Amino acid sequence: MQNQDFEEMLNQSMKEIHQGEIVEGSIISVFPNYCVLNIGYKADGILKKEDYCEDNDLDLSTLLKVGDVLKVKIKKVNDGEGQVSLSRKEILRLETNNILKKAYEEGKVHKGKVIKTNAGGLTVELEKGINVFMPTSLINVGIEKNLEQYVGQELEFVITEFNPMKRRVIADRKRLITKELKEKREECLSKLKENDIIEGFVKSILDFGVFVDLGGIDGLLHITEMGWGRIKNPKNIYNIGDKIKVLIREINNDKVSLTTKFPEDNPWILARVNYEIGKTIKGTVARMTDYGAFIQLDDNIDALLHVSQIAREKVKLPQDVLKIGQEVEVKVIDFDEEKKKISVSMKALLPEENKIDDDTSEVREINIEEYSQKMDNIEE
């Protein structure tokens, strides 16, 4: 009777527990695969390593010691052997979800270390033991092909998606970089003015020109603005990373047009003296069209020798008489500084006795730029 009274008193002193309840317990013994906790109940609680955390390869005896206090959840009040089955993993999952939910709702910038790469992105540590996923498309503004370079780095990011049901948490670094670039772009643009001369770096090279990094915004240096002379291919002049001096030709909203045609280097300033009408000069046949030949007078200036000005007799095609690279002597018969056009004649230098009295041929006005483009197409 006395034993029965003691058992009743013991049972009354022990708290009641229920499945799903969260309690604290003190470790009374530890083994590699499980540990035993005193949870203030008539039976001890058993916490197996698969219920301790997500990593099932852990050795609990290396992590825990007798006397450690753990917060655990009651899985079963009786595991079939008279003991209480416990779970810490569910507590961690709940706490982790609360931390991730808060990070998502606050929208703050976080910094975390890249743990590893995986299919489609990076695994980044938000806090110790709490990882998030950063897709490849959200790592940077460009396309990232080498993800291994980020392993071990600390990256800033924001949580842009939180779905505990699917256990999906997305970290976004691209949003921060985009915002930073926009602010830098606006700041740079506010300091630029047309006709300013600044230095920049060649960022990319295309067939029609190059994009120059001006320190926060890219400007376009079109092939037609790369110099006073004729440029066939930007790659023949520039390499990515080259430091170049440019003049801001035009700013249209957030588009910046550049030029390297500096006014002080304008060859047409001296051209009015060097190539005045009536002057005899020498040049080299640079290219030909059906309508005439372009004579290179210097590195930056070409003149048009119209087919009607090659000889007294009728010439059908300039290549019937001339060759590329041939040096010729010509006379300037027209000079238009505004349109940057010079017309020359070989016929005007022929001896007087070879002139034909009824020769009434006239110099046709030719659009040099138009013929240059046609010639480019022929050469290609």
Side-chain angles (χ1 to χ4, degrees):
M1 185 71 178
Q2 206 169 14
N3 288 339
Q4 187 176 356
D5 291 341
F6 178 76
E7 184 176 352
E8 287 179 0
M9 290 175 61
L10 181 63
N11 288 336
Q12 290 174 2
S13 67
M14 293 293 179
K15 62 182 178 182
E16 290 187 4
I17 59 173
H18 306 280
Q19 184 175 333
E21 185 179 351
I22 295 175
V23 299
E24 282 190 348
S26 177
I27 296 177
I28 54 178
S29 57
V30 185
F31 304 93
N33 295 325
Y34 71 95
C35 62
V36 182
L37 285 80
N38 176 6
I39 57 174
Y41 185 59
K42 61 183 179 181
D44 292 330
I46 302 297
L47 177 62
K48 297 180 181 179
K49 72 174 184 178
E50 58 263 30
D51 292 316
Y52 179 77
C53 67
E54 299 290 347
D55 189 353
N56 292 332
D57 295 328
L58 295 176
D59 181 343
L60 294 185
S61 63
T62 63
L63 298 174
L64 305 173
K65 63 181 184 297
V66 174
D68 286 349
V69 176
L70 298 179
K71 186 182 289 186
V72 291
K73 184 178 180 179
I74 307 297
K75 284 183 68 177
K76 292 181 180 179
V77 175
N78 189 332
D79 63 359
E81 297 180 359
Q83 294 175 314
V84 182
S85 179
L86 306 174
S87 172
R88 177 177 175 269
K89 184 164 63 175
E90 292 185 35
I91 297 292
L92 291 178
R93 190 176 297 165
L94 180 61
E95 291 177 349
T96 297
N97 282 344
N98 289 335
I99 292 172
L100 292 172
K101 182 181 179 182
K102 183 179 179 181
Y104 168 71
E105 292 176 344
E106 289 181 345
K108 292 182 179 179
V109 177
H110 301 273
K111 181 180 285 188
K113 187 177 181 180
V114 177
I115 305 301
K116 62 180 180 178
T117 65
N118 50 50
L122 304 173
T123 297
V124 186
E125 186 178 58
L126 176 67
E127 292 185 10
K128 187 172 180 60
I130 302 177
N131 299 332
V132 294
F133 176 60
M134 184 180 292
T136 303
S137 61
L138 298 181
I139 297 174
N140 211 334
V141 291
I143 300 175
E144 290 289 356
K145 295 182 179 180
N146 180 18
L147 299 186
E148 292 293 336
Q149 65 177 313
Y150 289 103
V151 176
Q153 289 190 34
E154 282 197 340
L155 303 180
E156 289 189 337
F157 57 89
V158 291
I159 305 296
T160 55
E161 185 178 342
F162 171 67
N163 190 331
M165 298 297 292
K166 295 183 178 180
R167 301 180 68 182
R168 178 179 171 87
V169 185
I170 300 299
D172 188 340
R173 177 173 178 256
K174 180 179 179 180
R175 179 176 296 188
L176 299 179
I177 296 175
T178 301
K179 181 182 178 182
E180 182 182 350
L181 289 175
K182 183 181 179 182
E183 291 173 351
K184 194 174 181 181
R185 181 185 179 91
E186 290 174 350
E187 180 184 0
C188 179
L189 192 60
S190 68
K191 296 178 181 179
L192 298 180
K193 295 179 181 178
E194 292 183 1
N195 297 317
D196 280 353
I197 296 177
I198 62 174
E199 290 185 335
F201 294 89
V202 175
K203 187 174 183 179
S204 59
I205 305 175
L206 303 170
D207 292 338
F208 59 84
V210 302
F211 283 97
V212 181
D213 183 354
L214 303 176
I217 191 170
D218 294 344
L220 173 62
L221 176 60
H222 195 269
I223 188 171
T224 58
E225 294 295 330
M226 290 183 179
W228 296 102
R230 179 173 175 269
I231 307 298
K232 291 191 67 174
N233 192 330
K235 293 180 181 178
N236 296 336
I237 303 176
Y238 299 110
N239 296 304
I240 292 177
D242 283 352
K243 186 177 182 179
I244 62 172
K245 184 170 68 172
V246 292
L247 184 146
I248 299 176
R249 190 171 65 88
E250 183 182 14
I251 299 176
N252 185 3
N253 294 325
D254 61 346
K255 294 182 180 179
V256 181
S257 299
L258 309 173
T259 183
T260 54
K261 291 181 178 179
F262 301 106
E264 63 271 21
D265 299 329
N266 188 348
W268 289 89
I269 295 175
L270 296 176
R272 67 171 72 97
V273 176
N274 295 335
Y275 310 119
E276 62 181 347
I277 295 175
K279 195 167 186 177
T280 300
I281 55 177
K282 289 184 179 181
T284 304
V285 178
R287 56 196 188 280
M288 290 185 277
T289 72
D290 293 343
Y291 306 96
F294 285 92
I295 309 301
Q296 185 174 349
L297 304 181
D298 62 30
D299 291 340
N300 298 310
I301 296 180
D302 289 348
L304 176 64
L305 173 61
H306 190 260
V307 68
S308 66
Q309 294 298 314
I310 295 176
R312 293 294 179 190
E313 63 276 11
K314 184 176 181 180
V315 177
K316 187 175 181 181
L317 295 171
Q319 49 265 45
D320 294 338
V321 179
L322 303 172
K323 294 181 180 179
I324 299 294
Q326 178 183 345
E327 186 178 72
V328 294
E329 190 173 47
V330 294
K331 183 176 181 179
V332 179
I333 58 175
D334 188 42
F335 181 91
D336 190 331
E337 183 177 354
E338 184 179 346
K339 295 181 179 179
K340 294 180 174 52
K341 295 196 302 182
I342 299 176
S343 296
V344 295
S345 172
M346 292 175 62
K347 184 171 68 174
L349 295 177
L350 293 176
E352 291 291 332
E353 58 269 21
N354 290 343
K355 286 187 177 180
I356 301 174
D357 293 338
D358 61 349
D359 180 13
T360 58
S361 60
E362 297 180 355
V363 178
R364 292 176 54 190
E365 184 175 343
I366 302 299
N367 187 320
I368 293 178
E369 185 177 349
E370 177 183 339
Y371 290 128
S372 297
Q373 293 175 350
K374 288 183 178 180
M375 190 55 197
D376 289 344
N377 293 333
I378 292 173
E379 290 176 355
E380 291 174 359

